[in-house]
Amino acid sequence: MIPARLSSASLCPLLEGVAQWASCPWAGLKPGQLLPKQALSRPLSVGSVDHAKQPEPPGKKPLSEKKLKRHFVDQRRVFVRGGNGGSGASCFHSEPRKEFGGPDGGDGGNGGHVILRVDQQVKSLSSVLSQYRGFAGEDGGSNNCSGRGGAVLYVQVPVGTLVKEGREVVADLSSPGEEYIAALGGPGGKGNRFFLANDNRAPVTCTPGQPGQERVLSLELKTVAHAGMVGFPNAGKSSLLRAISNAKPAVASYPFTTLKPHVGIVHYEDHQQLAVADIPGIIRGAHRNKGLGLSFLRHIERCLFLLFVVDLSLPEPWTQVEDLKYELEKYQEGLSTRPHQIIANKIDLPQARAHLAKLQARLGQEVIALSALTGENLEQLLLRLKELHGTHLEAGLGQGRRPLRG
Ligand SMILES: Nc1nc2c(ncn2[C@@H]2O[C@H](COP(=O)(O)OP(=O)(O)OP(=O)(O)O)[C@@H](O)[C@H]2O)c(=O)[nH]1
Ligand SMILES: [Mg+2]
């Protein structure tokens, strides 16, 4: 669920780091600054649709599945180990003409923690390594010198990182700057000075530093958006996001153009903002990790409502809806019944119009037929988005939950 922090004022900056792998167009606006005139002149801000099909670069081969996955990493298993504590020292004060100077071995420094810190600049988990060892504390020295503590080792992670230990979720890092101690540094050992007592004026005992905590954590990145666009490759999801928001995901006529989720912000005249995520194409068998598979089904989990985008120009478009729902349901029970809207894209194509009536009859529910390319009927989609969000808010209030504002 989107945290309450995702209120209209903070939505944009937050998403910039979470999943806004696409740039946020409103990021430059200061509070109180007017929205661009173009956006205000309409009841709804419908972005320009001048993104007609970009030509495929000549000779560009489609990427292999392995390479596709390498671009964007949304899951990592990490071994973390806190720094070892430094050992305490055992020595005695020595000075000319002072025979029994007493114990002066200092304590060892504590080992440094390993801390996960949310950084807005980090977009995926690809920069996270498979293991981290914290800095060790220094050993204690003579003259009651304590060893220096090990420095904290920060691991930068993107906003929206879930930290799991085994199956248990131990942290949900959803706002910039948030920190989680992944592994504690070991405490430093005690020097012999510590053991000085009335009945033992010359202790030689000192203790070694403790090893740092060791853990194996799974990090998972999930997109945080109000609406998630789900569809087969080439259905026109990215084109649609470009048309309704100012996000600029790549659009091309080959499948798997989108390799990582993009989040665009839809601005309404009443200053409401809704985040819409363009999730990379899903194919049949995605729940068995085919194509870009599971990694992207995960992002859908965090969307409050879904937009099933189908390519209306293809024969029997209802099979796309059935297959998409099947994949979602197989991945997580109940996911396909989350509040949703079916979007039939590419209505501008002649064969698409012929399929519309059949699709509607077959599904028995209202379908919004539109064209991301020409901009036809986009406003209906934007109104529906608002409605879905309103219903979500009401449902939340009904259950006594804190309202989520868009
Ligand atoms: N005629 C027509 N073409 C469209 C429309 N929307 C998208 N397209 C074209 O369909 C192709 C695929 O569009 P994308 O937006 O890249 O599709 P996608 O669903 O994001 O594809 P993946 O990123 O591969 O999942 C492009 O060539 C677009 O120009 C539309 O409304 N009408
Ligand atoms: Mg795309």
Side-chain angles (χ1 to χ4, degrees):
M1 197 174 71
I2 292 188
R5 278 187 294 275
L6 270 189
S7 62
S8 55
S10 62
L11 182 64
C12 196
L14 174 62
L15 284 164
E16 236 165 41
V18 187
Q20 214 199 357
W21 294 286
S23 62
C24 173
W26 309 93
L29 288 182
K30 294 187 189 78
Q33 195 175 331
L34 289 175
L35 297 178
K37 212 174 168 188
Q38 180 198 9
L40 290 174
S41 60
R42 299 164 179 240
L44 301 161
S45 71
V46 181
S48 66
V49 282
D50 57 345
H51 54 82
K53 189 166 144 183
Q54 294 169 2
E56 269 178 62
K60 192 182 166 210
K61 270 203 245 158
L63 292 172
S64 71
E65 211 169 280
K66 203 169 163 194
K67 276 188 181 162
L68 286 177
K69 286 180 182 170
R70 219 178 288 156
H71 280 266
F72 173 75
V73 179
D74 65 345
Q75 203 176 25
R76 272 267 195 252
R77 235 171 97 87
V78 200
F79 169 77
V80 278
R81 184 179 168 172
N84 293 337
S87 297
S90 177
C91 50
F92 290 87
H93 185 73
S94 98
E95 216 179 296
R97 290 184 298 281
K98 204 169 175 188
E99 216 175 321
F100 302 107
D104 72 349
D107 298 339
N110 294 330
H113 303 324
V114 179
I115 294 184
L116 304 181
R117 181 155 61 184
V118 179
D119 184 344
Q120 272 190 303
Q121 304 305 319
V122 178
K123 311 295 182 201
S124 91
L125 294 171
S126 57
S127 58
V128 176
L129 305 176
S130 58
Q131 52 175 294
Y132 289 93
R133 287 169 197 273
F135 296 104
E138 279 178 12
D139 292 344
S142 57
N143 237 340
N144 289 321
C145 285
S146 297
R148 186 200 297 256
V152 172
L153 177 61
Y154 286 102
V155 180
Q156 312 292 356
V157 293
V159 187
T161 302
L162 267 193
V163 187
K164 288 186 180 172
E165 192 168 20
R167 288 178 160 255
E168 190 196 349
V169 176
V170 290
D172 185 350
L173 304 173
S174 50
S175 49
E178 211 173 322
E179 293 184 357
Y180 173 71
I181 301 180
L184 291 164
K190 298 292 180 200
N192 65 338
R193 166 86 197 181
F194 178 83
F195 297 97
L196 180 67
N198 284 341
D199 57 347
N200 186 1
R201 304 304 302 164
V204 287
T205 317
C206 62
T207 56
Q210 301 291 309
Q213 189 186 16
E214 286 184 2
R215 291 169 88 187
V216 177
L217 300 174
S218 312
L219 307 186
E220 256 180 42
L221 182 58
K222 293 192 179 188
T223 301
V224 182
H226 294 100
M229 281 198 271
V230 192
F232 281 92
N234 250 357
K237 301 175 293 298
S238 305
S239 310
L240 204 51
L241 187 70
R242 289 176 76 117
I244 60 172
S245 75
N246 283 14
K248 292 280 171 269
V251 167
S253 58
Y254 51 85
F256 296 117
T257 310
T258 306
L259 301 177
K260 53 188 183 176
H262 288 255
V263 177
I265 311 291
V266 180
H267 289 256
Y268 290 87
E269 204 190 26
D270 59 2
H271 300 292
Q272 189 181 6
Q273 298 176 336
L274 291 183
V276 180
D278 168 21
I279 316 257
I282 285 170
I283 60 167
R284 289 176 188 91
H287 72 277
R288 280 184 269 111
N289 216 4
K290 267 184 100 180
L292 295 174
L294 287 174
S295 57
F296 293 110
L297 285 172
R298 233 189 323 272
H299 295 280
I300 299 167
E301 266 181 84
R302 271 205 172 178
C303 298
L304 300 180
F305 33 89
L306 305 176
L307 302 175
F308 289 105
V309 183
V310 298
D311 183 343
L312 200 54
S313 66
L314 297 179
E316 305 193 345
W318 52 88
T319 54
Q320 296 176 47
V321 181
E322 286 160 9
D323 289 342
L324 288 170
K325 285 192 173 175
Y326 175 79
E327 291 303 327
L328 295 196
E329 199 58 32
K330 279 278 164 195
Y331 172 71
Q332 193 190 79
E333 230 181 278
L335 195 54
S336 67
T337 50
R338 194 166 281 193
H340 63 266
Q341 175 63 50
I342 315 269
I343 309 293
N345 190 28
K346 309 197 184 180
I347 189 75
D348 57 295
L349 295 175
Q351 69 272 32
R353 294 216 180 257
H355 295 151
L356 181 60
K358 269 193 247 165
L359 175 68
Q360 232 147 0
R362 192 78 184 225
L363 296 176
Q365 68 183 99
E366 205 218 331
V367 171
I368 298 180
L370 49 75
S371 168
L373 200 67
T374 62
E376 187 181 339
N377 226 5
L378 285 183
E379 302 213 339
Q380 196 186 343
L381 165 64
L382 294 172
L383 288 171
R384 177 68 181 135
L385 269 179
K386 223 173 173 198
E387 197 183 303
L388 281 166
H389 187 244
T391 317
H392 168 80
L393 290 184
E394 276 166 29
L397 284 177
Q399 291 166 19
R401 274 193 267 133
R402 219 145 63 101
L404 294 177
R405 290 189 50 232

